[in-house]
Amino acid sequence: MRKQDKINLPKTVETPSRFKNSISKYIIRRNSKCAACGLCAKLCPYGVHIKHDNYAKTIRPKEHKCIGFKCKTNNFFCIDNCPQNALTLKENPALETLGDYRWTPEMLIAHWEMAETGNLPIVDLEYSLGNSGGGFDKIRFKIPEKQNRINIADNIIDMSVSLNRSGDNRIKKVISIPCYGGGMSFGSTALSVLTGRAKAAHALNTLTCTGEGGYPEEFLPYKDHVITQVATGLFGVREDTILNAPIVELKYAQGAKPGLGGHLLGDKVTKEVAALRETVVGNSLFSPFPFHSVYSVEDHKKHVDWIKEINPSCLISVKVSTPIDVEMVAIGSYYAGAHIIHIDGSYGGTGAAPDIAKKNIAMPIEYAIPKVHRFLTAEGVRDKITVIASGGIRNALDVAKAIALGADGVVIGTAELVALDCIRCTNCESGRGCARGIATTDIELRDMIEEKYVMRRIINMYMAWRKQWSELLRTYGLKSIKELVGRTDLLVNLDYLDEKEKSKYKPAPNFEMIR
Amino acid sequence: MTEKYHVPVKITPPRFKPIGKHAIIEFREDCAGSCKKCVKKNCIYNNFSDNRKHISAMEEPEYLYTCSGCFRCVQECTKGIFSRVINPEYRALGDDYWRADIIIRLWYQAHTGNIPVSGSGYGGPFTGEGFDSIWTDMSEIVRPTRDGIHGREYINTCFELSERFKGLSFNDDMTLAKKPRKILEVPLPLLLELPKKLIINKHIILAAAKAASLLKTFFLIDGKNYTPNLSEYKDNLIPCLKTEELKKYKNLILESKAISIEYSDTEDIIGAVSGVRSFAPNKTVIIKAPLNRNADKIASELASKDVDTIYFYADDHGKELNRKNPLFLKDSINKIHNRLVSDLTRQNINIVFSGGIAMAEHVAKAVIFGADAVAADIPIMLAMECRLCKKCAKNGGCPVKLDEEFDADWGAARIANLFGAWHGQLLEVMGAMGIREARRLRGEIGRSIRFENLEKDIFEPIFKRRSV
């Protein structure tokens, strides 16, 4: 392989959690019999036990690094080696209070670990499958044929996605990973989260999105990596914000609350938010559904043309949710001149939405992707438009499954926030906002998180994901993620296999969930 | 401008501390004591300051209904003395249909009148049984109004209990051959009825009657439970009578807007309806029948007779009664609806279903499958803090003292809050579907997305034959 074919990957930097006590699968307790001999610290290769030279005592174990009971066969197993029998190991009972069917406790803990180290976890955590009993959690990659495997390094495997496939003379935007960041508006999350995401997008050569809250000037140094969203409220949409952007996203709907629009409460419209949205402080803001100027595909084309006229080089992405006729919306967007059709499934979303909408309105993304892919292929236009999927895509294998079902790439929102220590308590909007300092502009809480931390943790997570994609592609003899698009022949669904076939695949995790 | 339907909701706190899901437990022996950085002071929800008891008085452990599960105290305590557990009372709450998470959400709505809102996407199972096997569709462009969020107040959620108007007929001299009966419209596709298996007393009845009045809907009440103090709410009460009670309650029938007669396959039910019509010709008459294997036959028979509405009741879990392999409510509704559609009699009659209606989404989904409206029963009790422990049905006693006198206004406000929140949620899904009339939604299965259809249309071409 020639030297120039190697891809320069961003560096990962070990970035431990902001919180003192980790949440871990295993817990180790050290009782008062500990003589602080430091043997455990010397023995443990995973860094669970640490004893600083100038400290009299061994510090509390870094439990999230502990590999648990499987360590028992190792001669360095701390529990058996402790001369004082001062250490005990058990599974953390608090795990049953963590996570949900889609983001299981192990998936959360694994993502925190990836965000910390940039590597896949060593601890036995199931991070690719949830407990939802359907969709991605039933779909597996087929057991690969051994002879197809190729042995090439991670930094040679191509993960890039071309976003302009139309053949027009607009920019040929290429992103280096098959993911970009979902729209989060100014005011919905701490500013350091927004700019940290933009920095990470810059380092990863991918994109992030403004959401509909306007374009803070802090984004300008990274403007080639920031999508400007034009949503129905048109907040902060100005000629310069359109001109800044390599891609402009017209948001028709979002998967978490399809057909409902948005409502920013008056007390959230602070001086800064109002300035950016060009509105009045303290007045509630409505983002109606849908665009009041769009009744038809022709009207939609007028919008696309309007953006294209202002910015002669940008690409147009059209974000829609997943109604039963989503493929008709996709083809309509193609003929209106969109470069990207972004379909947002019903189970995702980061912002607050009515529970009834999140659960019940529109279909999950697992169905929408093949529906759109198949229809655009039959219409003969699939290679002229980029299909981006989002909404409930949680981990690296979900991304790969979405691509194999027919998407070119995906948009990630929740997983990026999980990388920042989001615990999915779902109280993003209540009271002062996110207690963990992510989705809040509260003057005290927002200072809990720094831009550099955000950037590093997000880079780390994507770099860990990249390792997982690389290994997957190698097993099928693929050198580029582009070769995976639409390869449904590489997928199986457990509900469609007989018992014998099914037994060859990893069963879904069967955590006892307390709803 | 016509008056808009509006449910007056107001914060109505519970009388007893609700059962919370999580408890924060402390291992005090590790606590440094009087730590200046104590995380209890930093709880952004003020859980500890609002709940803190002196350690000696603490009933271990301290369950926090209001704990939002942010884990900050667990993760930030300098000594790591906190952990979190699930409240055993929460585990025991409800059953496999009336799950604890549903009950807690109903309590929240009864308390606040607000629609439950949360962030971070959906965290539940991919799909499920019964009502959980469908999604409602949304409309990317076609909208009920062009005003987005402001337009929701223009969405009409009315349905009718009265006779279906079949057009005017005239005599030869062009005088009206038959004067149409008065239209009895209900602004919400939801009636109220108390569950038979739980406690029923005069305080609960009064609260439900007041709530029906606040909601401008109807409360179905057994004739024997009708007391003179309820006459103030007579416009919102539907007495439920057996055929043999019709004579006894003649005055009650005359003063009520509608009545319900219990179906019996041994009695002449149509004769009984005619009997009522003889002295109350304009009365809206509902026939109340069990939802069993013959329900579609009963519906088919009654739809061609002079009956205005049929009210079918399933069991508490929405299952058909007295059947080995009972159908779930949504399938029964669809079966009955389709039978009448093929009989060409669906337009003759209104059909209301009860049993297992536990959430706002069930109202919308029941209507999509062909109901005109539904009735809520157990949620009325849950709105008044019922723990669904069913002690009242066994040996008496109620942990939230619904068996004693309580302020009926408090109960009515909680019930109105709950169904006010349901109304708000109904508008959300109808708005998203682009449906501006609940009557237009009836039987509109094109506005639903069924799990089995998605699997067949989208996954079968990829994965071949489904094996489960």
Side-chain angles (χ1 to χ4, degrees):
Chain A
M1 190 61 63
R2 286 171 305 157
K3 209 173 181 180
Q4 60 265 38
D5 288 340
K6 284 188 182 168
I7 301 158
N8 279 327
L9 301 177
K11 284 209 163 50
T12 57
V13 179
E14 178 109 359
T15 313
S17 167
R18 294 172 285 150
F19 296 98
K20 184 178 168 57
N21 309 322
S22 57
I23 301 172
S24 51
K25 182 169 180 178
Y26 301 103
I27 49 178
I28 296 181
R29 289 274 177 256
R30 177 180 286 121
N31 67 24
S32 55
K33 285 190 277 181
C34 174
C37 67
L39 180 63
C40 51
K42 276 186 206 134
L43 288 174
C44 181
Y46 304 109
V48 176
H49 301 284
I50 296 168
K51 183 168 186 300
H52 297 299
D53 290 343
N54 49 349
Y55 274 43
K57 287 187 177 175
T58 316
I59 64 170
R60 278 201 310 117
K62 300 222 173 281
E63 292 159 320
H64 65 295
K65 301 279 183 195
C66 174
I67 63 166
F69 298 101
K70 75 176 178 188
C71 191
K72 201 169 170 49
T73 54
N74 297 324
N75 55 10
F76 51 78
F77 185 49
C78 61
I79 310 294
D80 290 348
N81 279 296
C82 176
Q84 306 294 328
N85 283 330
L87 295 169
T88 48
L89 169 70
K90 61 176 179 176
E91 282 204 34
N92 187 353
L95 251 50
E96 69 172 0
T97 71
L98 184 69
D100 52 53
Y101 286 83
R102 295 188 59 77
W103 276 90
T104 62
E106 292 197 5
M107 200 188 287
L108 285 170
I109 292 172
H111 277 78
W112 295 328
E113 177 68 6
M114 291 184 216
E116 177 170 337
T117 63
N119 290 316
L120 296 168
I122 303 165
V123 183
D124 55 330
L125 296 163
E126 176 52 73
Y127 46 87
S128 300
L129 292 170
N131 211 16
S132 76
F136 290 133
D137 292 339
K138 285 277 183 183
I139 296 172
R140 305 281 188 280
F141 275 96
K142 254 184 201 161
I143 296 166
E145 312 254 345
K146 275 186 186 152
Q147 67 272 21
N148 288 343
R149 188 183 172 88
I150 48 170
N151 285 315
I152 53 173
D154 282 12
N155 61 357
I156 289 168
I157 300 179
D158 171 28
M159 296 293 171
S160 69
V161 179
S162 308
L163 298 179
N164 185 358
R165 295 148 61 99
S166 71
D168 67 10
N169 55 5
R170 290 174 171 264
I171 56 163
K172 307 281 178 256
K173 187 75 184 168
V174 175
I175 51 174
S176 297
I177 52 170
C179 305
Y180 60 84
M184 292 180 205
S185 55
F186 179 78
S188 70
T189 51
L191 185 60
S192 53
V193 172
L194 296 179
T195 51
R197 291 177 78 221
K199 275 189 164 182
H202 175 74
L204 291 157
N205 184 33
T206 184
L207 298 154
T208 188
C209 176
T210 60
E212 70 165 326
Y215 198 106
E217 60 182 29
E218 287 82 354
F219 277 164
L220 286 173
Y222 321 105
K223 66 185 171 70
D224 289 343
H225 301 278
V226 178
I227 296 171
T228 294
Q229 188 177 85
V230 177
T232 54
L234 300 177
F235 296 118
V237 175
R238 295 195 312 269
E239 193 171 333
D240 56 328
T241 61
I242 302 281
L243 281 168
N244 284 341
I247 297 174
V248 174
E249 177 178 290
L250 284 163
K251 185 180 82 179
Y252 277 81
Q254 49 190 334
K257 40 184 171 179
L260 301 184
H263 180 185
L264 188 67
L265 297 173
D267 54 5
K268 301 241 169 187
V269 186
T270 59
K271 199 175 153 197
E272 294 82 15
V273 169
L276 212 55
R277 293 192 178 212
E278 298 174 83
T279 60
V280 179
V281 177
N283 273 26
S284 290
L285 300 178
F286 295 99
S287 299
F289 180 90
F291 277 107
H292 284 191
S293 43
V294 178
Y295 284 82
S296 62
V297 172
E298 290 75 18
D299 288 343
H300 168 52
K301 185 172 188 317
K302 271 190 274 182
H303 270 218
V304 173
D305 290 345
W306 164 55
I307 305 274
K308 283 183 172 175
E309 189 62 29
I310 294 170
N311 185 337
S313 67
C314 75
L315 306 183
I316 306 292
S317 168
V318 177
K319 179 178 177 182
V320 295
S321 54
T322 50
I324 193 76
D325 56 353
V326 60
E327 74 276 29
M328 301 307 291
V329 178
I331 194 80
S333 293
Y334 166 74
Y335 282 113
H339 300 90
I340 299 166
I341 176 77
H342 172 179
I343 45 177
D344 193 21
S346 60
Y347 284 169
T350 51
D355 289 349
I356 191 169
K358 293 198 296 190
K359 173 169 175 252
N360 294 298
I361 306 178
M363 61 175 151
I365 196 67
E366 290 91 330
Y367 298 120
I369 298 169
K371 205 166 199 272
V372 167
H373 175 70
R374 205 180 298 160
F375 191 77
L376 294 178
T377 305
E379 291 287 304
V381 302
R382 179 64 187 87
D383 55 353
K384 299 283 179 207
I385 189 164
T386 305
V387 175
I388 296 290
S390 67
I393 297 171
R394 302 156 294 178
N395 54 54
L397 276 196
D398 280 4
V399 175
K401 287 169 192 172
I403 292 172
L405 284 171
D408 291 296
V410 307
V411 162
I412 298 294
T414 302
E416 288 193 2
L417 299 188
V418 169
L420 309 181
D421 279 317
C422 165
I423 201 158
R424 284 177 60 73
C425 67
T426 73
N427 298 304
C428 313
E429 284 237 330
S430 63
R432 291 160 63 191
C434 171
R436 299 171 76 86
I438 304 165
T440 181
T441 48
D442 181 89
I443 202 153
E444 191 182 311
L445 296 172
R446 71 185 181 194
D447 289 341
M448 287 174 66
I449 195 159
E450 287 175 8
E451 190 179 283
K452 196 158 76 176
Y453 176 87
V454 173
M455 178 188 76
R456 285 179 174 173
R457 299 267 299 190
I458 289 175
I459 293 173
N460 284 353
M461 184 190 77
Y462 281 124
M463 285 297 101
W465 282 16
R466 200 183 191 286
K467 288 180 180 139
Q468 223 179 332
W469 298 324
S470 298
E471 179 54 21
L472 180 81
L473 294 182
R474 273 195 291 265
T475 60
Y476 292 108
L478 306 176
K479 292 176 183 167
S480 165
I481 196 102
K482 293 187 193 83
E483 295 172 45
L484 188 65
V485 176
R487 291 291 304 273
T488 50
D489 58 309
L490 300 181
L491 299 173
V492 292
N493 184 319
L494 297 192
D495 284 350
Y496 290 74
L497 298 179
D498 59 33
E499 285 305 318
K500 193 178 160 204
E501 275 296 303
K502 201 189 287 186
S503 65
K504 295 177 187 167
Y505 292 91
K506 191 158 60 166
N510 196 18
F511 300 111
E512 193 200 342
M513 305 307 281
I514 315 279
R515 293 172 91 172
Chain B
M1 197 166 160
T2 52
E3 192 191 344
K4 297 279 177 281
Y5 179 59
H6 172 72
V7 180
V9 298
K10 61 173 184 189
I11 299 271
T12 312
R15 297 186 301 159
F16 299 88
K17 193 175 171 188
I19 296 169
K21 180 176 180 182
H22 296 127
I24 299 292
I25 51 167
E26 309 174 26
F27 306 99
R28 299 287 299 188
E29 66 271 23
D30 292 334
C31 179
S34 66
C35 169
K36 282 185 184 152
K37 289 184 183 167
C38 182
V39 288
K40 287 187 168 186
K41 293 175 195 158
N42 292 337
C43 175
I44 74 158
Y45 304 107
N46 298 324
N47 270 326
F48 294 102
S49 54
D50 292 350
N51 288 275
R52 188 188 284 177
K53 296 173 191 163
H54 187 265
I55 186 78
S56 61
M58 191 187 283
E59 303 152 25
E60 287 283 341
E62 192 173 347
Y63 296 109
L64 302 168
Y65 167 61
T66 46
C67 174
S68 301
C70 73
F71 265 84
R72 272 188 61 185
C73 54
V74 176
Q75 289 197 266
E76 288 182 342
C77 170
T78 54
K79 292 283 178 184
I81 68 163
F82 291 92
S83 187
R84 199 164 76 149
V85 294
I86 300 220
N87 184 350
E89 269 191 277
Y90 181 89
R91 287 180 200 268
L93 183 62
D95 55 34
D96 59 351
Y97 188 87
W98 295 91
R99 297 189 317 263
D101 63 311
I102 294 177
I103 294 175
I104 282 213
R105 237 172 285 173
L106 294 177
W107 285 344
Y108 165 81
Q109 293 167 72
H111 180 166
T112 62
N114 290 342
I115 296 173
V117 170
S118 60
S120 213
Y122 170 66
F126 186 81
T127 181
E129 300 274 301
F131 285 124
D132 285 345
S133 65
I134 67 162
W135 295 272
T136 62
D137 198 14
M138 59 84 65
S139 175
E140 207 67 61
I141 293 176
V142 182
R143 310 300 309 151
T145 75
R146 303 305 302 172
D147 292 333
I149 197 163
H150 299 295
R152 286 177 205 175
E153 66 216 60
Y154 292 94
I155 296 175
N156 184 336
T157 54
C158 287
F159 85 105
E160 283 147 38
L161 276 174
S162 52
E163 177 196 39
R164 282 294 182 90
F165 183 62
K166 299 177 194 78
L168 297 172
S169 55
F170 297 92
N171 299 316
D172 291 343
D173 62 356
M174 293 309 286
T175 53
L176 270 180
K178 186 190 164 207
K179 199 177 164 196
R181 290 190 194 121
K182 207 173 168 190
I183 293 171
L184 184 59
E185 201 174 51
V186 187
L188 185 66
L190 184 85
L191 305 176
L192 310 182
E193 186 179 23
L194 291 175
K196 292 276 179 293
K197 290 181 187 162
L198 301 179
I199 191 168
I200 296 178
N201 61 32
K202 61 182 182 182
H203 314 295
I204 292 171
I205 289 169
L206 182 59
K210 284 187 175 204
S213 160
L214 288 171
L215 289 158
K216 298 180 182 141
T217 183
F218 286 94
F219 168 41
L220 285 94
I221 177 172
D222 275 358
K224 65 178 183 334
N225 289 333
Y226 202 102
T227 48
N229 67 326
L230 295 173
S231 61
E232 194 183 330
Y233 308 102
K234 66 179 181 348
D235 285 350
N236 299 94
L237 298 178
I238 298 177
C240 300
L241 306 168
K242 296 195 172 72
T243 46
E244 64 269 23
E245 293 174 327
L246 294 171
K247 273 189 192 146
K248 180 179 162 193
Y249 289 108
K250 188 174 175 186
N251 286 339
L252 183 57
I253 293 170
L254 283 170
E255 71 174 29
S256 304
K257 285 190 169 173
I259 63 148
S260 158
I261 305 173
E262 181 73 35
Y263 179 84
S264 158
D265 46 13
T266 56
E267 305 276 337
D268 175 14
I269 206 81
I270 299 304
V273 176
S274 304
V276 171
R277 300 258 190 245
S278 67
F279 63 86
N282 281 318
K283 196 64 55 189
T284 292
V285 179
I286 300 165
I287 300 297
K288 195 172 166 193
L291 188 71
N292 57 26
R293 66 186 309 156
N294 296 323
D296 62 326
K297 218 190 296 174
I298 296 171
S300 179
E301 278 167 25
L302 295 179
S304 55
K305 302 288 189 322
D306 189 17
V307 172
D308 304 323
T309 296
I310 315 173
Y311 177 111
F312 283 113
Y313 53 93
D315 74 7
D316 290 347
H317 291 190
K319 293 275 173 63
E320 284 179 327
L321 299 161
N322 307 322
R323 199 168 176 185
K324 201 175 172 191
N325 293 311
L327 289 180
F328 182 71
L329 192 60
K330 92 171 169 40
D331 303 308
S332 304
I333 294 172
N334 210 219
K335 186 175 145 197
I336 293 167
H337 174 77
N338 287 342
R339 168 90 184 242
L340 298 194
V341 169
S342 62
D343 285 356
L344 304 179
T345 54
R346 183 66 186 91
Q347 300 294 0
N348 292 355
I349 201 152
N350 312 299
I351 317 179
V352 179
F353 293 86
S354 79
I357 300 295
M359 292 193 273
E361 66 197 62
H362 296 172
V363 181
K365 288 178 179 177
V367 173
I368 286 174
F369 277 100
D372 287 274
V374 294
D377 40 30
I378 288 176
I380 300 175
M381 300 301 284
L382 291 169
M384 294 187 285
E385 295 187 74
C386 169
R387 302 280 157 102
L388 221 53
C389 62
K390 296 181 183 164
K391 277 183 191 150
C392 51
K394 290 171 203 153
N395 44 17
C398 173
V400 290
K401 299 195 173 159
L402 290 174
D403 54 347
E404 296 173 15
E405 186 175 351
F406 63 88
D407 179 6
D409 286 333
W410 167 87
R414 299 258 311 181
I415 298 167
N417 278 353
L418 173 59
F419 298 123
W422 282 23
H423 177 247
Q425 290 167 83
L426 190 57
L427 297 189
E428 298 280 357
V429 283
M430 286 177 67
M433 282 186 275
I435 295 275
R436 66 185 304 167
E437 269 273 357
R439 284 172 285 213
R440 274 264 297 110
L441 187 62
R442 189 197 68 194
E444 186 64 90
I445 52 168
R447 297 276 83 192
S448 70
I449 306 175
R450 294 197 201 201
F451 169 71
E452 60 266 29
N453 291 352
L454 289 179
E455 289 281 314
K456 189 167 183 296
D457 297 343
I458 300 172
F459 276 1
E460 276 192 11
I462 300 172
F463 302 117
K464 311 300 178 238
R465 254 184 72 159
R466 204 169 150 80
S467 61
V468 288

